Amino acid sequence: MSNKGLLVVGIMGLSWILVVLGTAFIPFYARKSIAFGVSIPESEYYSKFFTQLRRYYLATGLILGSVLAVGSTLTYIWVNAKTAMWIHLATMFIYLAFIAVLYLVFYRKVRAYKQNSNCPIAKISYAVLTPDKDEKMLLSPLWFLTYLAAIAGTITVAIIKYPSLPGTIPMHYNIAGQVDRYALKSVSTFILIPIIQLLLGLLFLGMNFAISRSKRQGGVGDIASGLKKDRAFQIIMSKTLFWIGLFTMLLFGTIQLAMLQILGRKFTIIAPVVFLLAILAIVTYWITKVGQGGSRMSGGKVTTSKLVEDDSRWILGVFYYNKSDPSFFVEKRFGLGYTVNFGNPRSWLAIVALLALIAVVAILPHVLH
């Protein structure tokens, strides 16, 4: 296999590692008071029942993911790059669909187990933690203005290079780094990438704002310690968003430079590899050192085995719906990060805005073309 082929296989393999790592290990970096979307006493976390469920979920995800990853990646040897990419995406969809079904099966098992056991229940505790004078805060929105430097650089280089470009320029590269779409040189062609960068920058800024307004969970027992860990989790999430957003800006900038024929074709493959490696490093750090809600961070101890009961607010343990809760963002029960409160009308506005943004990014290339 050529060096180009090895690089393509590497991209496909890295994307599989990222997907499997981010799904199969979910039960291990979730809060110890949550098992497959259902609240449980933390004292039950290491019981035989829940330990077996986590191990089975992990083993199933790793085995299925490995088989599909190897199979879809090797198809590149026998079919063209475009077909191999579609097979790659299809097998990922199959994997994610199977994992979703497996989650629902385990969700029902945990609910049944909880109903048949005598779990001590505690009322939900809401507490406000006064920040320490030296406590770190979320990143200021001003940090996200650095994205404008990347956008300005993209525009500046395009203006300088534009007069010397040929009448036809490459617009899209496949996974093998081969040009599969050309377009006539025009101003609209080169304004597309900066517009997409700007829209994505606004998206990351909005997500950072939402995190700063998310509900803080302290649970029961040592509430102050729990709130501090949750605060640390928000700060790390804010920083993570910033860096992922910056990597995204640079990735699109690389695409623009390739269109301007400043960077060679190999960079259209190397750049996604570097991007995937960066995301993989971030995800690995989150799983091993942070955990959902800071569950893997030091500073918190279980001082009670009582159960904070709010399962009725969670549909299938995934969708949070609570009209009486003014919170806009809440921690996910299964997965890493945050989800919206579907009982809050502002959440629906945010969802509509997000869908509109995705639609604009998808349609914009065709409109400008």
Side-chain angles (χ1 to χ4, degrees), residues 22 38 82 108 126 129 131 148 152 154 166 184 214 256 265 294 339:
V38 181
K82 184 176 181 179
R108 295 186 181 279
Y126 295 95
L129 180 67
L148 295 178
T154 302
L184 296 177
S214 64
Q256 181 85 313
R265 293 181 180 180
T339 186

Side-chain angles (χ1 to χ4, degrees), residues 201-319:
L202 291 174
L203 174 62
F204 283 105
L205 177 61
M207 292 172 66
N208 185 68
F209 176 79
I211 289 175
S212 69
R213 297 296 187 272
S214 64
K215 178 192 289 187
R216 299 176 64 179
Q217 299 178 203
V220 295
D222 192 351
I223 296 177
S225 177
L227 286 172
K228 287 184 178 180
K229 289 173 65 175
D230 190 74
R231 182 62 174 175
F233 175 74
Q234 288 181 324
I235 294 171
I236 295 174
M237 175 65 81
S238 176
K239 292 179 179 179
T240 299
L241 274 177
F242 169 77
W243 285 108
I244 291 179
L246 185 60
F247 293 152
T248 303
M249 296 296 116
L250 295 177
L251 178 62
F252 275 96
T254 301
I255 296 174
Q256 181 85 313
L257 292 178
M259 291 169 56
L260 292 167
Q261 301 180 4
I262 296 176
L263 296 180
R265 293 181 180 180
K266 67 171 62 177
F267 284 96
T268 62
I269 297 181
I270 294 176
V273 171
V274 174
F275 180 79
L276 286 174
L277 286 173
I279 300 299
L280 181 60
I282 291 173
V283 171
T284 302
Y285 170 75
W286 272 88
I287 292 175
T288 58
K289 298 296 184 180
V290 181
Q292 178 66 345
S295 59
R296 287 187 169 272
M297 300 172 67
S298 60
K301 296 181 180 180
V302 179
T303 58
T304 178
S305 62
K306 288 185 177 181
L307 171 65
V308 176
E309 179 61 85
D310 62 345
D311 290 344
S312 61
R313 305 296 187 182
W314 288 87
I315 302 173
L316 299 178
V318 177
F319 306 104

Side-chain angles (χ1 to χ4, degrees), residues 16 20 59-72 95 99:
W16 265 111
V20 174
T60 304
L62 290 179
I63 293 173
L64 179 63
S66 298
V67 171
L68 292 178
V70 172
S72 64
Y95 169 80
I99 284 295

Side-chain angles (χ1 to χ4, degrees), residues 99-169:
I99 284 295
V101 172
L102 184 64
Y103 162 77
L104 290 176
V105 172
F106 281 17
Y107 167 77
R108 295 186 181 279
K109 284 181 178 290
V110 175
R111 285 200 56 140
Y113 176 87
K114 179 179 174 181
Q115 291 172 357
N116 296 328
S117 61
N118 296 319
C119 294
I121 305 297
K123 293 182 179 180
I124 301 175
S125 299
Y126 295 95
V128 177
L129 180 67
T130 302
D132 295 332
K133 183 173 60 176
D134 299 326
E135 181 182 351
K136 295 181 179 179
M137 306 298 290
L138 271 68
L139 286 182
S140 166
L142 295 177
W143 277 87
F144 291 82
L145 293 179
T146 57
Y147 294 170
L148 295 178
I151 298 173
T154 302
I155 296 174
T156 301
V157 174
I159 293 174
I160 295 173
K161 185 69 176 178
Y162 185 83
S164 62
L165 291 174
T168 303
I169 58 172

Side-chain angles (χ1 to χ4, degrees), residues 299-368:
K301 296 181 180 180
V302 179
T303 58
T304 178
S305 62
K306 288 185 177 181
L307 171 65
V308 176
E309 179 61 85
D310 62 345
D311 290 344
S312 61
R313 305 296 187 182
W314 288 87
I315 302 173
L316 299 178
V318 177
F319 306 104
Y320 183 68
Y321 187 90
N322 187 356
K323 289 184 177 181
S324 61
D325 187 351
S327 300
F328 173 54
F329 255 30
V330 295
E331 281 185 28
K332 287 183 177 180
R333 279 201 157 193
F334 194 76
L336 195 60
Y338 295 85
T339 186
V340 297
N341 175 11
F342 289 93
N344 189 328
R346 291 182 301 167
S347 300
W348 290 102
L349 293 176
I351 292 172
V352 171
L354 177 60
L355 293 176
L357 177 61
I358 295 174
V360 169
V361 172
I363 296 173
L364 197 58
H366 303 284
V367 174
L368 292 178

